[in-house]
Amino acid sequence: MQQNPSGNLSPTRVLVVDDDPTVAEVVAGYLGRAGFAVDRAADGPGALARAAARRPDLVVLDLMLPGMDGLEVCRALRDKGPVPVIMLTARGDEEDRILGLEIGADDYVTKPFSPRELVLRVESVLRRGRTAPRGPGSSGPGPGPGSGPDEVTHRAGITLDPLARRAARDGRELALTVREFDLLAFLLRHPGVAFTREELMREVWGWDFGDLSTVTVHVRRLRGKVEDDPAAPRLIQTVWGIGYRFDAPPEADDETDGEGRRDEGHGDEGRGDQGRDEERGPGSDA
């Protein structure tokens, strides 16, 4: 039995939403054999009714649903509170994948897919929720070598309180999604350090595999909320061939620490070939 993320003994409950009965049956069967309690719905209204009757720990959600599509369902679910969502779709279009990520999907799987891989992704998302340090309402990333994960951070005009799950820039509160907040918290704790998208996915999302455009989309959205000019970012820099780095200007940095820094010319030392060839095609960020 998969233990509920809240820590109690009730089984972890997954809601599978797909209008294709064969797909729904196969997914539900694999999840059931992995120890999950599975609810099923064939359309958007049915999914929302199921979720209202018994809040799921995670939703596997088809994008192409009759009447009310998966994007609308995802928005409606998130309006009721945070819940992890893994989207399924037969579409391969980049625009569809990016849109799903932007409205808050935690992962995106394109049909046809391996049911075993889907189960692994479900377990990865839920495991992240279990291991993340939690204050009231918190689901932030794990500890890093910078400031403590529960400490209020002041850097580059940004104030971030992990326990209250609040962030502000120059005194103005930022409206961040759960993942945007987690990404900003991680970057603020590691100023001057260049991270590959693979590293950010592992450290912030808790995944060892997945669609790297998830990271790209969240960086772009976060820039839109913390940068004066997102098209010419000063804080969240792209390090070509590696990934991203948070730069805190000396005059704006409110904290001094002795943490080692990796500059753009040396950030890839000891990292092997991981992330050297960052994709510059669809989904890559400038």
Side-chain angles (χ1 to χ4, degrees):
M1 181 180 70
Q2 293 282 347
Q3 185 173 328
N4 189 283
S6 63
N8 59 46
L9 295 178
S10 62
T12 298
R13 187 162 297 277
V14 177
L15 174 60
V16 176
V17 187
D18 199 306
D19 64 323
D20 185 327
T22 301
V23 172
E25 183 176 351
V26 170
V27 171
Y30 272 82
L31 289 170
R33 286 191 290 275
F36 296 98
V38 182
D39 290 329
R40 289 170 52 178
D43 55 30
L48 297 180
R50 288 277 189 177
R54 183 176 291 178
R55 188 73 176 172
D57 298 301
L58 182 142
V59 180
V60 176
L61 176 62
D62 186 27
L63 180 61
M64 296 290 289
L65 293 172
M68 184 181 191
D69 67 23
L71 297 177
E72 294 179 87
V73 175
C74 186
R75 290 191 187 98
L77 288 170
R78 288 295 172 85
D79 285 345
K80 301 295 184 182
V83 59
V85 175
I86 296 177
M87 280 196 164
L88 303 179
T89 181
R91 295 178 180 177
D93 294 344
E94 181 79 7
E95 182 179 349
D96 293 322
R97 181 167 70 252
I98 297 302
L99 184 56
L101 295 172
E102 286 189 339
I103 67 169
D106 294 272
D107 201 357
Y108 192 102
V109 180
T110 302
K111 298 177 182 177
F113 57 89
S114 163
R116 291 186 181 89
E117 180 184 349
L118 177 60
V119 171
L120 290 175
R121 293 197 184 202
V122 167
E123 291 173 342
S124 176
V125 171
L126 292 168
R127 182 167 60 249
R128 181 61 177 175
R130 293 187 187 102
T131 59
R134 291 181 179 272
S138 172
S139 59
S147 58
D150 294 335
E151 295 178 8
V152 176
T153 303
H154 306 277
R155 189 164 276 130
I158 297 172
T159 300
L160 185 139
D161 185 341
L163 293 181
R165 300 289 293 181
R166 300 181 68 177
R169 186 177 182 209
D170 299 327
R172 178 178 56 85
E173 187 155 357
L174 300 173
L176 303 177
T177 66
V178 171
R179 291 302 187 188
E180 289 167 0
F181 186 96
D182 292 346
L183 178 60
L184 179 60
F186 183 81
L187 292 173
L188 285 177
R189 295 207 309 273
H190 303 84
V193 181
F195 292 98
T196 66
R197 292 189 297 169
E198 290 88 348
E199 287 175 322
L200 290 172
M201 177 164 282
R202 183 172 63 250
E203 297 297 331
V204 178
W205 278 258
W207 303 343
D208 292 320
F209 57 86
D211 187 346
L212 293 179
S213 64
T214 300
V215 177
T216 305
V217 169
H218 282 80
V219 167
R220 182 165 64 240
R221 287 177 58 85
L222 188 56
R223 281 173 170 163
K225 297 179 181 182
V226 303
E227 299 281 2
D228 292 328
D229 180 2
R234 284 188 323 115
L235 301 177
I236 303 175
Q237 297 285 344
T238 296
V239 183
W240 291 114
I242 297 178
Y244 303 103
R245 181 187 67 230
F246 185 87
D247 284 347
E251 65 275 11
D253 194 343
D254 297 313
E255 292 184 355
T256 302
D257 57 45
E259 181 182 343
R261 304 294 174 87
R262 290 181 286 173
D263 61 29
E264 187 168 339
H266 299 85
D268 55 345
E269 292 181 2
R271 298 157 72 91
D273 293 330
Q274 182 184 28
R276 290 180 189 272
D277 299 320
E278 183 182 10
E279 298 170 354
R280 299 193 188 188
S284 66
D285 215 325

